[in-house]
């Protein structure tokens, strides 16, 4: 029998909800300026922020055994939604509700689907909470699904405890999405994810109210989609040599890295996503990013030779031959794609088409002239139009990248443009809008989730520059300068997970979450609800939900960072901070991990040597926002630097690259300016220093078009050396550390050398670099430590 306790009146429930959620009510007043926060259990802490909220006084308790009923239209679909809601609530909150009998009079939660309901659109819903229960009203099953997601969040408020009754603040939520396209791109070409892991990602996307998975299934490094008419695409194109760290994934450099999706797997993923109101949009990238296809069928290229499936990253020069035979192949592939994917949209890519092979081909140049085209960009435009016409003929809408607009060419009029060139005040997106295209905003600067999230020493691998949680949240979705009419052509927003440096699903999770929460709010919430501080106040409850779902999210935005300087009497002065400037940093000095009862950091600390300082960040309700980080304070603290704390000699942000896994299972991450193994240490302490130790690793070169900018330095020996110079990279030589032993090793090597430091050296700028050609092996520096 269900149990709903009498409403527990609370005078400040409305203010508590506003303070905890950062929401706006019916006007534009922000939540942060409302009354002081009341107990967290009374709060609505929702992600993404609903369109409109009207809190009331009082709370409703939902306890174990409460009943859930389904009424109205689309009963089978809504029944499935309600059942999945019950499973989700039991698996995360530990509350076990059940479906009500037809004649039940004790229903706690009711789903009402009425095609004529007074809600906004097919994806909209209303939730009403009062002393009698909770009612979710929608026009369609889709709206009911989104209402069920919000209901789950209502029942997992800040500070929720597994198994305990849930207290929900009374009031009304009227909600609907801002944009129709709320997407995450998943690159399965560079690194393959299992079908089961993709389903997990779809589950988690849907709980953030995203509704498009743009599935990138073809690449230079792997063709992942089975096309029965062209079996070599997966027999040859789905495997590459296990170069570099791929050998750790396969278990041996002699075992290739392989993976593709069968027709049955694709249909199952598409069905699974549809049940969660996620549209799977396939991407067959053309004419570039096609080296794996040409490896399978060399006649698809322009050279007549068969390349390997690419083992490098970057932009490959292998483009499809833009002739009639290739177009027949593409049509055949797209026919199979349309058979497998019911989506209205099909992406045909069009990005990063390096045309050096086209320019070198007499056949392609002759074709360009026969068509009366002025350049190769126009030829790509012709090729794209031919492909798009086939899709349009079959009732589909082509989608592609904005590169041809950047190059000054035109795209098919009906094509949806994904705008990733976010520089110059979204100039390219504006151009696309003004040409009449619908546009999806996916700027690489803030919404490419493969980019690393912080400069912390333990940040995971990813390309530069950093794309922080705040940058993701503050993404400009409607370009400045767009008129109201032009803004209507912005149909959505998309995050990108490119997987050159994402070898495992654990890495995928770290890269996507919690930045996906920022993406969800960009796509769903009204523009007037944008409030960074309110978003942060709602993050602890969302992170607790992630943890309950088993998501291995990044805590980079909240993790403590240490700034250490010398103090008097051999002591150290330490400043603590975090990227988001949110939460309470708590610390210990006795070797134990901090808890929510440990000392709070309020001002810089002065601590003696031989201290182990640990710090972690906590939310107001005691939830651990960031795991403990440790800083050892001893004689080497100021005499050593991690490579991630050194500047690059080019003054460009470094890439973060995974190193080889150690026998103990740990994997180092290095900060490296790819192609230029050179670092700067400003104002290093050299007084009394006599020795230096370097921890280095040599990695396989697989950085593609980065090769053209590689900096080679003269070697004094066959293996090369690390040189340390004072003043500048051309200044006096402080040490030359031979690399022969490290060049022969797998993984990290510690190298030591004597120094000849002049008396009274004091603080000196240092430059340290590896000699030789990085294309023969990219050197990485984990740590550099001086000793006396």
């Amino acid at each position: 029998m269900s149990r709903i306790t009498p409403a527990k009146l609370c005078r400040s429930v409305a203010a508590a909800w506003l303070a905890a959620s950062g929401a706006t009510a019916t006007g534009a007043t922000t939540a942060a300026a409302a009354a002081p926060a009341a107990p967290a259990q009374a709060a609505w802490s929702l992600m993404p922020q609903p369109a409109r909220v009207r809190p009331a006084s009082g709370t409703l308790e939902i306890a174990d055994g409460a009943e859930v009923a389904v009424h109205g239209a689309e009963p089978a679909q809504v029944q499935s939604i309600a059942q999945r809601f019950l499973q989700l609530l039991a698996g995360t909150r530990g509350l076990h509700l059940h479906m009500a009998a037809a004649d039940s009079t004790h229903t706690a939660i009711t789903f009402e689907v009425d095609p004529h309901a007074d809600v906004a659109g097919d994806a909209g819903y209303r939730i009403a909470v009062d002393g009698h229960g909770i009612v979710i009203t929608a026009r369609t099953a889709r709206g009911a699904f989104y209402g069920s997601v919000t209901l789950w969040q209502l029942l997992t408020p800040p500070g929720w405890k597994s198994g305990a009754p849930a207290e929900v603040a009374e009031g009304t939520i009227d909600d609907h999405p801002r944009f129709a396209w709320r997407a995450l791109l998943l690159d399965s070409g560079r690194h393959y994810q299992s079908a089961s892991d993709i389903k997990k990602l779809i589950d988690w996307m849907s709980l953030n109210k995203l509704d498009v998975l743009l599935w990138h299934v073809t690449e230079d490094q792997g063709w992942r989609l089975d096309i029965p008419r062209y079996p070599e695409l997966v027999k040859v194109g789905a495997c590459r040599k296990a170069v570099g760290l791929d050998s750790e994934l396969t278990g041996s450099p002699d075992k290739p890295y392989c993976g593709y999706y069968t027709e049955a797997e694709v249909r199952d993923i598409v069905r699974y996503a549809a049940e969660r109101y996620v549209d799977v949009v396939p991407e067959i990238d053309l004419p570039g990013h096609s080296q794996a296809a040409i490896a399978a069928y060399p006649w698809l290229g322009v050279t007549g030779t068969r390349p390997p499936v690419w083992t490098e990253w970057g932009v490959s020069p292998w483009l499809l031959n833009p002739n009639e035979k290739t177009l027949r192949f593409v049509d055949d592939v797209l026919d199979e794609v349309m058979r497998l994917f019911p989506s209205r949209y099909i992406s045909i890519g069009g990005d990063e088409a390096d045309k050096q092979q086209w320019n070198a081909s007499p056949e392609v140049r002759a074709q360009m002239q026969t068509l009366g085209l002025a350049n190769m960009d126009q030829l790509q435009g012709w090729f794209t139009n031919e492909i798009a016409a086939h899709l349009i003929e079959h009732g589909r809408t082509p989608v592609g990248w904005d590169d041809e607009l950047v190059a000054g060419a035109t795209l098919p009029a009906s094509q949806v443009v994904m705008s990733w060139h976010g520089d110059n005040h979204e100039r390219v997106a504006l151009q696309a809008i003004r040409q009449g295209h619908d546009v999806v905003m996916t700027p690489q600067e803030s919404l490419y989730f493969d980019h690393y999230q912080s400069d912390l020493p333990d940040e995971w691998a990813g390309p530069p520059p950093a794309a922080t949680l705040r940058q993701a949240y503050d993404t400009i979705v409607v370009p400045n300068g767009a008129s109201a009419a032009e803004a209507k052509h912005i149909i959505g927003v998309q995050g990108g997970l490119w997987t050159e440096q994402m070898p495992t699903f654990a890495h995928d999770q770290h890269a996507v979450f919690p930045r996906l929460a920022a993406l969800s709010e960009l796509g769903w919430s009204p523009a007037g609800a944008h409030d960074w501080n309110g978003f942060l106040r709602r993050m602890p409850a969302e992170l607790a939900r992630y943890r309950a779902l088993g998501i291995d999210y990044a805590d980079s935005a909240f993790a403590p960072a240490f700034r250490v300087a010398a103090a008097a009497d051999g002591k150290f002065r330490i400043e603590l901070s975090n990227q988001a400037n949110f939460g309470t940093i708590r610390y210990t000095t006795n070797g134990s991990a901090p808890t929510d009862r440990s000392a709070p950091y309020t001002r810089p600390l002065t601590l003696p040597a031989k201290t182990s300082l640990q710090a972690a960040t906590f939310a107001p309700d005691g939830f651990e926002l960031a795991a403990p980080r440790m800083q050892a304070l001893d004689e080497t603290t100021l005499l050593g630097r991690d490579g991630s704390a050194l500047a690059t000699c080019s003054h460009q942000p470094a890439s973060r690259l995974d190193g080889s896994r150690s026998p103990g299972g740990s994997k180092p991450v290095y900060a490296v300016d790819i192609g230029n193994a050179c670092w700067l240490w400003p104002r290093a302490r050299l007084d009394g220093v006599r020795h230096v130790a370097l921890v280095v690793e040599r990695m396989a070169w697989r950085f593609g078009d980065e090769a053209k900018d590689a900096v080679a330095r003269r070697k004094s020996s066959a293996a090369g050396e690390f040189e340390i110079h004072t003043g500048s990279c051309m200044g006096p030589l402080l040490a030359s550390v031979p690399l022969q032993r490290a060049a022969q090793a797998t993984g990290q090597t510690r190298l030591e050398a004597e120094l000849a430091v002049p008396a009274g050296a004091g603080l000196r700028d240092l430059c340290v670099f590896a000699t030789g050609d990085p294309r023969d092996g990219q050197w990485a520096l984990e740590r550099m430590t001086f000793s006396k």
Side-chain angles (χ1 to χ4, degrees):
M1 184 138 185
S2 66
R3 179 169 67 91
I4 307 175
T5 64
K8 300 176 181 177
L9 297 180
C10 177
R11 295 175 186 170
S12 59
V13 165
W17 182 85
L18 288 170
S21 69
T24 57
T26 56
T29 305
T30 60
Q41 66 269 20
W44 290 351
S45 187
L46 306 176
M47 191 76 72
Q49 182 73 309
R52 188 181 184 206
V53 297
R54 288 170 291 177
S57 60
T59 60
L60 172 76
E61 184 178 275
I62 301 292
D64 233 34
E67 295 183 350
V68 177
V70 169
H71 297 156
E74 303 182 69
Q77 295 95 315
V78 181
Q79 187 83 10
S80 295
I81 289 167
Q83 291 284 6
R84 286 199 299 274
F85 162 74
L86 297 183
Q87 294 167 6
L88 175 66
L89 189 64
T92 54
R93 175 68 198 246
L95 279 180
H96 297 84
L97 281 55
H98 58 83
M99 300 303 297
D103 58 350
S104 174
T105 59
H106 300 285
T107 301
I109 296 169
T110 303
F111 288 86
E112 293 270 6
V113 175
D114 177 359
H116 306 292
D118 183 22
V119 299
D122 289 347
Y125 65 90
R126 172 177 296 130
I127 295 181
V129 184
D130 61 23
H132 302 290
I134 301 173
V135 178
I136 301 101
T137 304
R139 290 184 185 177
T140 67
R142 179 184 293 270
F145 172 77
Y146 291 130
S148 76
V149 172
T150 300
L151 176 58
W152 170 63
Q153 294 185 359
L154 288 173
L155 297 174
T156 51
W160 58 270
K161 303 296 182 184
S162 180
E167 291 189 354
V168 183
E170 295 181 13
T172 304
I173 299 169
D174 283 288
D175 200 13
H176 61 275
R178 181 184 182 190
F179 295 111
W181 185 294
R182 306 179 303 280
L184 177 69
L185 177 146
L186 176 64
D187 171 14
S188 297
R190 274 76 171 224
H191 280 105
Y192 169 88
Q193 305 86 26
S194 70
S196 61
D197 283 340
I198 292 174
K199 286 182 177 180
K200 288 179 186 177
L201 186 61
I202 289 168
D203 271 327
W204 300 336
M205 287 173 56
S206 70
L207 294 177
N208 279 269
K209 297 191 173 81
L210 300 189
D211 67 344
V212 174
L213 176 67
L214 188 77
W215 195 10
H216 186 80
V217 289
T218 68
E219 252 308 332
D220 298 306
Q221 296 88 356
W223 182 285
R224 306 294 178 205
L225 186 63
D226 187 15
I227 306 293
R229 188 165 181 174
Y230 297 97
E232 297 299 301
L233 287 174
V234 293
K235 287 182 180 177
V236 174
C239 290
R240 64 174 181 257
K241 290 183 178 179
V243 172
L245 298 182
D246 279 352
S247 62
E248 293 185 358
L249 301 174
T250 66
S252 167
D254 300 321
K255 183 178 180 181
Y257 181 89
C258 302
Y260 70 91
Y261 304 97
T262 66
E263 177 181 331
E265 286 177 315
V266 170
R267 290 191 182 280
D268 186 47
I269 288 169
V270 169
R271 174 201 57 79
Y272 190 89
E275 290 175 350
R276 289 146 182 83
Y277 299 91
V278 173
D279 185 23
V280 181
V281 176
E283 178 161 89
I284 310 298
D285 212 344
L286 309 164
H289 294 282
S290 296
Q291 186 168 330
I294 300 170
Y297 294 100
W299 52 264
L300 288 171
V302 301
T303 69
T305 59
R306 183 193 300 271
V309 178
W310 214 25
T311 58
E312 299 190 11
W313 312 127
V315 180
S316 163
W318 290 85
L319 267 61
L320 297 179
N321 193 332
N323 59 20
E324 290 298 327
K325 188 176 181 181
T326 298
L327 284 171
R328 286 194 296 273
F329 164 84
V330 173
D331 286 350
D332 290 341
V333 168
L334 292 178
D335 287 344
E336 177 68 9
V337 168
M338 288 187 281
R339 193 171 68 85
L340 291 173
F341 295 89
S343 173
R344 167 187 168 189
Y345 300 99
I346 305 289
S347 177
I348 52 178
D351 61 313
E352 297 179 325
D354 180 342
K355 300 180 178 67
Q356 59 180 286
Q357 289 186 353
W358 281 11
N359 283 312
S361 166
E363 175 192 350
V364 176
R365 290 201 308 271
Q367 182 187 10
M368 182 185 73
Q369 292 169 0
T370 299
L371 292 170
L373 303 175
N375 54 52
M376 291 300 177
D377 286 311
Q378 291 186 9
L379 181 60
Q380 181 179 346
W382 171 85
F383 185 75
T384 302
N385 272 282
E386 294 294 302
I387 296 167
H390 185 74
L391 292 174
I392 294 166
E393 181 183 345
H394 288 79
R396 305 300 180 96
T397 299
V399 180
W401 298 97
D402 64 9
D403 295 58
E404 285 303 283
L405 295 177
V406 174
T410 58
L411 291 169
S414 63
Q415 180 166 316
V416 173
V417 173
M418 296 180 291
S419 181
W420 67 279
H421 288 89
D423 54 348
N424 294 321
H425 304 288
E426 306 294 344
R427 172 186 60 84
V428 182
L430 274 172
Q431 181 182 349
I433 291 168
R434 289 167 180 167
Q435 290 183 9
H437 295 285
D438 285 341
V439 172
V440 173
M441 300 297 291
T442 178
Q444 62 171 329
E445 295 83 358
S446 59
L447 291 183
Y448 271 23
F449 292 160
D450 54 321
H451 286 229
Y452 55 81
Q453 301 175 63
S454 76
D455 294 321
L456 293 168
D458 60 357
E459 184 58 80
W460 291 34
T468 66
L469 181 64
R470 177 69 185 265
Q471 287 171 301
Y473 188 77
D474 285 343
T475 296
I476 295 174
V477 180
V478 176
N480 295 324
S483 67
E486 290 169 341
K488 292 179 180 178
H489 280 287
I490 301 295
I491 64 168
V493 63
Q494 177 174 294
L497 182 64
W498 302 104
T499 60
E500 287 96 332
Q501 298 183 54
M502 308 283 133
T504 65
F505 190 59
H507 205 147
D508 295 340
Q509 295 171 66
H510 180 93
V512 170
F513 298 94
R515 289 183 289 191
L516 194 79
L519 176 67
S520 75
E521 197 137 307
L522 291 171
W524 183 278
S525 303
H530 189 84
D531 175 11
W532 168 246
N533 291 323
F535 175 78
L536 286 177
R537 287 194 292 271
R538 287 178 281 120
M539 279 306 299
E542 186 71 357
L543 294 178
R545 295 177 193 119
Y546 288 171
R547 192 172 294 178
L549 290 165
I551 299 174
D552 188 13
Y553 61 86
D555 65 0
S556 308
F558 308 102
F562 301 83
R563 184 176 179 181
V564 183
D569 302 323
K571 295 182 178 180
F572 297 88
R573 185 180 189 272
I574 306 98
E575 296 178 23
L576 301 177
S577 62
N578 67 26
Q579 187 187 88
N581 194 27
F582 179 78
T584 300
I585 298 176
R586 298 181 180 273
Y587 68 93
T588 60
T589 57
N590 60 4
S592 65
T595 71
D596 60 347
R597 297 181 180 275
S598 298
Y601 173 78
T602 58
R603 62 177 64 88
L605 306 173
T606 301
L607 296 173
K610 299 183 179 179
T611 297
S612 177
L613 174 64
Q614 293 195 53
T617 309
F618 295 87
D621 64 2
F623 179 81
E624 185 181 79
L625 290 167
R629 267 62 170 185
M630 192 271 287
Q631 174 67 61
L633 302 174
D634 56 32
E635 63 276 5
T636 68
T637 299
L638 298 178
L639 295 179
R641 284 280 178 94
D642 290 335
S644 61
L646 300 175
T648 65
C649 295
S650 66
H651 301 288
Q652 297 299 311
S655 292
R656 295 187 67 85
L657 302 178
D658 278 328
S660 300
R661 191 176 300 279
S662 69
S666 62
K667 183 186 285 289
V669 180
Y670 303 109
V672 176
D673 185 2
I674 294 173
N676 188 6
C678 184
W679 297 263
L680 302 175
W681 182 347
R683 296 175 61 78
R685 292 175 173 271
L686 297 183
D687 275 338
V689 164
R690 291 291 178 264
H691 309 274
V692 65
L694 305 177
V695 179
V696 302
E697 181 176 346
R698 191 182 197 184
M699 296 177 288
W701 177 270
R702 59 182 318 184
F703 306 109
D705 52 349
E706 300 279 359
K708 63 182 182 296
D709 297 320
V711 178
R713 294 180 173 86
R714 184 180 60 81
K715 296 188 294 185
S716 298
S717 62
E721 43 279 319
F722 261 82
E723 293 187 2
I724 304 172
H725 294 258
T726 59
S728 71
C729 297
M730 301 297 292
L733 180 66
L734 192 63
S736 180
V737 186
L739 288 171
Q740 182 175 358
R741 187 162 58 88
Q744 297 170 346
T746 298
Q748 290 185 349
T749 303
R750 179 183 171 90
L751 304 173
E752 299 184 9
E754 299 291 323
L755 300 173
V757 178
L763 301 175
R764 295 287 183 93
D765 294 340
L766 299 181
C767 170
V768 53
F769 57 78
T771 62
D773 191 330
R775 290 163 292 196
D776 297 330
Q778 173 72 54
W779 285 102
L781 173 64
E782 184 188 54
R783 187 166 177 82
M784 178 176 175
T785 305
F786 295 110
S787 58
K788 298 182 179 181

